[in-house]
Amino acid sequence: MSKKFTKIYQKHYDKVHRLCLGYVNGDQALAKDLAQDVFIKVWEHLDQFQQKSSIGTWIYRITVNTCLLFIRKDKKKKQLSFTEIQDEVQEETNDQNRVKQMYVCIHKLKQTERIIILLVLEGLPQKEIAEITGHSHENIRVRVHRIKEKLTKCVSNGI
């Protein structure tokens, strides 16, 4: 099982890490911790994977659940004010500025919207996103369009 797990880890770690980044507003260290938690769960439950979906879809579902659980717990802690985030963004270079701004805008989205757009940014097909989120493909198609409009407006207007 360890060789199988190693292959799964190597194939999916970068995608899981990037997805976690979206949930933690670009915090690299926290994203790495969450990705580690995801793969601990994958290791613990790999023998229970029923292959009703692809292994990637299963891992994304674990990632989304792990990140949402973290966010629920983290809401009890003090969050950065928009002023503090804005100050950090202004210190970055222009490219880093836009990336940071995009994460802030993604962070403002509703939970379901955030899940959908992060999976889109990972390059997942909309049909697979529908499977992961439990929505219809048509619903995902419409939501993606609306989410992109919101993000464009948010990034254009600044934080």
Side-chain angles (χ1 to χ4, degrees), residues 97-110:
N97 214 3
R98 295 213 31 99
V99 169
K100 189 80 165 177
Q101 194 171 358
M102 181 60 79
Y103 277 123
V104 169
C105 290
I106 289 171
H107 190 70
K108 290 180 182 180
L109 294 172
K110 293 177 186 171

Side-chain angles (χ1 to χ4, degrees), residues 1 3 9 12 14 17 21 27 43 53 74 85 88 96 98 102 111-112 116 135 138 140 146 154-157 159:
M1 184 157 116
K3 285 184 182 180
Y9 177 86
H12 296 279
D14 288 340
H17 180 256
L21 271 172
D27 184 326
W43 171 262
S53 62
D74 195 49
I85 293 172
E88 286 180 26
Q96 291 171 329
R98 295 213 31 99
M102 181 60 79
Q111 185 174 306
T112 304
I116 292 168
H135 293 89
E138 179 63 24
I140 292 298
R146 290 180 182 159
C154 178
V155 171
S156 297
N157 295 331
I159 300 170

